[in-house]
Amino acid sequence: MHPAFCTFTCHFYEPLLDEDITKYLLTSEQLCRVMPSAFDSEKARRQAFEAIFGSLDMKLQSHVEFYISPKVSQVSAVVESGGTTDVVKTINYGGGHLALILEEFKVESTGDAYMRICRSYEVLCGDAKNESLLKFGNPTFLLCILGPYLMVCGAVKRKNVHVEPLTPLLPMFPGFGTEGRVMQLAHCLRALKEGTDKLREFWQDVGIIKDANEMVTADSLPEPYLVSGCPDNGLLRFDDWRGTFESRMRDRNDSNKHPNFLAKIRKGDECEKQVVVKFIYNYSGTYGTAVHEYLHSIGLAPALYLVKPLHCGLVMVVMEYLRPEDGTGGWVELDKFEGSLNTKEHVVREKLEMIIKRLQKQKMVHADLRPTNIMIKVDGKGDMMIDENEPILSVVDFDWAGRAGEVCYQPLLNPNVPWPTGAKAYKEIGQDDDRVLLDNWWGAFVEVKTAK
């Protein structure tokens, strides 16, 4: 993930500062009042959006405000795709075009804004004749507006075009209070402002943009910017460990899941180990390292090899890979356990209660102790393995974990999860919240599993 996109993600999940609340909430409320209206054309919707958006000093039609040479001025790059034409003002850079933001507007039910803007970005990259832009991946923010819905994506061009959704589809509808849709959109607007500022800094740092009297040539540019430790080059290096990335673990198109990779690492002459490399976006830029290491020390979590902040809000976590069941035994999420709990219901509950008691004794919380984050070991037949009258369990996903009363709930809590009463964005997580969450989901879960 490019640093500008990391900055966006961090600010999308970070609390709004007092000095920002009025500006971004006001703009968000205006968008939520106007954008649900029926518009006769894409042009009319675009004009309404940009008239409100302009209050944030982010000129969508003038994405780059600086000049590379006194002889080069801003021009309109005509992007033709699918029989239609989008005009995007950019900088004419040595025959290519440099943009911070591309936008695509669609009236309801008239097309796929996401596919259209991906195509527009691809055409823009093809228009970037100067190889210097593509050498750095030509990172660009993409805004998809389909009727009264907004989605922000990040796009880069390596060998192929890669587009990663940075937000879910955000509804621009009026809401009650300031903690629902309006606040969510306000976070997105602030994140986009910070992200584009970071992208502008990036082009300056790598030497593409210099002062008004100096034209940059490809010969003067540094090597392509790569995030240290990320899988752009297929290599994984940290401390004394050396390894390579093997494959992506989860669907790239699922924006609700963190990007996970499988990798193999080796230290000196030791045997090779298979690990999971997880990139988490946390508004505080932290990870529950202490909780993870504590549960591992008592055999209740996978080994943790590395926790490394990469950029603001982006953390790389390397941990032991719990091999999934493949006919000879392995690990499976409790939520996906296909067997019947039957007589094992009580021993599983007792084991989970024991885990919570251990954490409470250390004044720690996991904060997201749900079936998807609890792994159980099964034999070759898929039956739950029991050791000394206890199931073999392992807890994963410590993204929110930490000291009770110090760590907070993340923004945009999944409404389908039975969170403890009072749980909301940025609220401190109480010491008993793990137990309350367990009580809230356990009954319905057992009913489904014992019915098999």
Side-chain angles (χ1 to χ4, degrees), residues 20 48 103 147 154 181 184 188-189 203 210 214 245 292 320 369 408 443 445:
D20 291 336
E103 51 181 337
R181 292 189 288 261
Q184 187 181 41
C188 180
L189 298 177
W203 286 119
K210 292 194 176 182
E214 185 174 1
F245 287 89
H292 190 150
E320 175 188 0
L369 197 61
C408 300
F445 175 77

Side-chain angles (χ1 to χ4, degrees), residues 234-252:
L235 302 178
L236 179 61
R237 302 284 189 268
F238 61 93
D239 299 331
D240 295 328
W241 294 94
R242 298 291 181 267
T244 56
F245 287 89
E246 292 189 297
S247 64
R248 185 76 181 253
M249 290 183 66
R250 288 178 172 169
D251 184 2
R252 179 180 298 274

Side-chain angles (χ1 to χ4, degrees), residues 116-131:
R116 278 291 312 281
I117 201 166
C118 290
R119 173 57 182 160
S120 295
Y121 174 75
E122 185 177 30
V123 172
L124 184 68
C125 288
D127 188 59
K129 301 179 179 63
N130 193 306
E131 63 180 16

Side-chain angles (χ1 to χ4, degrees), residues 170-186:
L170 303 176
M172 292 183 284
F173 292 107
F176 298 98
T178 59
E179 295 185 1
R181 292 189 288 261
V182 175
M183 178 61 81
Q184 187 181 41
L185 183 59

